[in-house]
Amino acid sequence: MNLSQVAAAFRPFDTLAAQLLPQVEDDAGDGSHDLSHLLRVWNNARRLQAEEGGDLRILLAAVILHDCVRVEKNSPLRSQASTLSAQRAQEILLSRGWTQEDAQRVAHAVQAHSYSAQVTPLTLEAKIVQDADRLDAIGAIGVARCFYVAGRMGSSLYEALDPQAQQRPLQDTRYALDHFPAKLFRLQDGFQTAAGAAMAQARQERMRGFVEQFLDEL
């Protein structure tokens, strides 16, 4: 994919997308936070916006810029990633003539999207971006991303003698399977919009079904 082709997928905001995408073109080789991820989150956001409302221009900018500062999952700075991205997003938009108010709306949505940052989304757009990003972390895509990241970080699939962590603490930085109860199964309870919660329920069922099948094969 080249950037012009990707920008076209963000219609009717393809011109704005073409301006912002070069700011996030370098994904540091992270296939779980690449251009495909941005497109999936945008598609989620549009589906949510169609039911919940919200400013699509703000949503588009927040979606494209929500990971504009790259911080690896195993970095001690991981909890600050969304704050760093929010600061950078605001700088980018102000340099392109956005008003302070609109740039701040985007920045808030960027900062609040992160699970680890624990920032409460206060605007509808921030709630939609958080839900749209979390939808991409669960379901079939979520399963794929979980094992992709585990491989990238050098983690094992599961702990051989106690895969369900019945007699040990969860260690999702060491075992991919631990990441499901440690985080992914918990995401469904935190959705901000009714439309997002409904989509999350379906994806949660797919993800739980996968884990049940995985354990059955063990």
Side-chain angles (χ1 to χ4, degrees):
M1 291 187 297
N2 60 48
L3 288 185
S4 62
Q5 291 174 320
V6 176
F10 289 96
R11 289 192 179 103
F13 298 98
D14 44 319
T15 300
L16 176 58
Q19 296 171 358
L20 298 181
L21 283 169
Q23 305 297 324
V24 297
E25 185 177 9
D26 180 11
D27 59 20
D30 183 357
S32 65
H33 291 93
D34 56 5
L35 293 176
S36 296
H37 168 66
L38 296 183
L39 285 170
R40 292 193 303 270
V41 175
W42 173 239
N43 289 335
N44 291 339
R46 291 202 68 174
R47 290 179 65 183
L48 297 177
Q49 190 274 343
E51 295 191 42
E52 303 286 344
D55 188 322
L56 274 174
R57 178 172 172 262
I58 299 294
L59 288 170
L60 181 281
V63 166
I64 289 182
L65 298 174
H66 77 278
D67 289 323
C68 63
V69 175
R70 305 288 177 180
V71 180
E72 290 284 4
K73 288 285 188 183
N74 58 357
S75 169
L77 296 176
R78 183 60 191 173
S79 63
Q80 301 176 41
S82 69
T83 297
L84 296 172
S85 290
Q87 294 169 351
R88 177 62 182 148
Q90 188 164 349
E91 293 171 0
I92 291 169
L93 296 176
L94 290 175
S95 72
R96 281 160 176 73
W98 282 50
T99 66
Q100 185 76 33
E101 179 183 358
D102 283 353
Q104 287 178 344
R105 290 170 67 191
V106 171
H108 171 63
V110 170
Q111 184 181 31
H113 90 273
S114 170
Y115 179 84
S116 57
Q118 296 294 301
V119 174
T120 301
L122 302 177
T123 65
L124 177 57
E125 291 80 14
K127 293 176 181 179
I128 288 174
V129 172
Q130 185 182 101
D131 281 5
D133 186 63
R134 292 187 183 184
L135 283 169
D136 201 53
I138 60 176
I141 292 290
V143 170
R145 291 180 70 199
C146 175
F147 285 98
Y148 170 86
V149 172
R152 196 163 179 269
M153 298 293 104
S155 301
S156 300
L157 294 180
Y158 58 92
E159 204 283 326
L161 300 180
D162 187 6
Q164 294 182 268
Q166 295 176 326
Q167 298 179 18
R168 63 177 178 83
L170 291 169
Q171 296 174 283
D172 63 339
T173 59
R174 294 187 62 186
Y175 307 112
L177 194 63
D178 283 19
H179 195 56
F180 290 91
K183 177 181 177 181
L184 300 185
F185 288 158
R186 299 180 180 183
L187 291 180
Q188 184 180 3
D189 295 333
F191 276 76
Q192 301 291 326
T193 66
M199 291 173 64
Q201 182 175 358
R203 297 192 184 198
Q204 187 88 337
E205 290 172 1
R206 294 174 201 153
M207 189 166 60
R208 287 189 179 277
F210 167 82
V211 171
E212 289 173 3
Q213 293 171 0
F214 188 98
L215 291 170
D216 181 65
E217 292 185 11
L218 295 185

